Structures are given as C-alpha cells and as structure tokens.
Amino acid sequence: MGDFTDVQTIGNIAYVAGGATGLMIFDVSDASSPKLLGSSTDCIGCTTAARYVTVVGTTAYVVPIYAYSVPGNVHTALFAIVDVSTPSSPRQLGTYESDVPYNRVFISGNSYVYSRQHDGIHVVDVSTPSSPSLVTKLDSENNWDTYCVAG
C-alpha cells in the first residue's frame, strides 16, 4: 500500500498520507478490516510522496515529503488542496508552491499556516482553493519546528 506517514480520523473515515501512494481514504467503521474508499496521487507539478494530511470539513490539505517542480527540477514545496466530499473520488482543487520545504502545517479558518525551515511562519489564504495566496509571513533566522495556532 505504501508508507503511511500521517493520518487524521473523522468519525469512521481515516485520511492517510500514504507516501508514494498519495492520499488514501479508508472506512474504518470495522477496525479489524479497514476498507479503502478512494485515493488520489494528484499533485500538479511535483514528483514526491505525501507526508502530512489535514482535513477540514470536505477539504484535505496534503503536503509532500519534498517536491521538485518538474520544469528545471527546481526545489519547491507544494501542498495540494483536495475535495474529499466524495471519498471514492477525491479531486484536486488547487495547489500552493513555495521554495523551501514545510516543517509543520495547520489550518485556522481560511488560513493555512506553516513554518519554513529558517524562514519563519507563513500564512496562506485558502478561502479560494483554486488560487491560494500568501497573506503574510513572520521572518526568523531560527528553525521554526514547533508552534501552536489558536483561533
């Protein structure tokens, strides 16, 4: 199946970052026999494996281990915004690209908040999933690995 690197369970549905397998969605109502409902390897412009998944409502935010933008193999970090309202056929709504990999990611309202190695914390507006945009960033020379988002 792949290397499971992250999971979020909502009710009887488990959303799994499945490494090279991408996003996988399971019915776990029978814990002894999870049933694969659907999966998606959509990640426009990247060649990597899913590392983190965060689900809010019917939207999954999938972050890769590390990505390379196909044109020119430029190092990028790319997260995919995926509609999971129909678990059997998740579909990509949009992506957001940055030039440094993500350490941690959180969703707060319409904001996607992430830390970037030695480049501080960035806030991305995801209210329009097809075109997420950077709102602001808090610069730092330190490596932001752990933080908490409230509100």
Side-chain angles (χ1 to χ4, degrees):
M1 281 236 163
D3 298 322
F4 295 176
T5 56
D6 193 24
V7 64
Q8 181 176 349
T9 304
I10 301 173
N12 290 325
I13 305 295
Y15 301 88
V16 178
T21 310
L23 172 65
M24 296 183 292
I25 304 171
F26 291 91
D27 177 341
V28 292
S29 56
D30 179 357
S32 65
S33 182
K35 178 183 172 190
L36 180 65
L37 298 175
S39 63
S40 173
T41 55
D42 283 349
C43 187
I44 295 171
C46 73
T47 54
T48 190
R51 180 175 186 183
Y52 301 117
V53 61
T54 301
V55 179
V56 177
T58 59
T59 305
Y61 301 85
V62 183
V63 176
I65 291 171
Y66 198 69
Y68 296 93
S69 179
V70 174
N73 281 340
V74 176
H75 292 271
T76 62
L78 182 75
F79 73 78
I81 303 170
V82 181
D83 177 355
V84 293
S85 59
T86 305
S88 61
S89 58
R91 66 181 180 87
Q92 185 171 288
L93 300 173
T95 60
Y96 182 80
E97 188 172 333
S98 128
D99 59 353
V100 176
Y102 308 104
N103 284 352
R104 297 281 188 260
V105 293
F106 297 95
I107 299 293
S108 179
N110 286 326
S111 297
Y112 184 91
V113 182
Y114 66 93
S115 64
R116 288 180 21 156
Q117 303 268 350
H118 299 285
D119 197 28
I121 293 177
H122 294 229
V123 179
V124 176
D125 179 353
V126 293
S127 60
T128 304
S130 61
S131 60
S133 59
L134 180 66
V135 174
T136 190
K137 70 178 188 168
L138 174 63
D139 288 324
S140 172
E141 293 181 14
N142 298 318
N143 190 348
W144 291 67
D145 188 42
T146 304
Y147 60 97
C148 180
V149 175

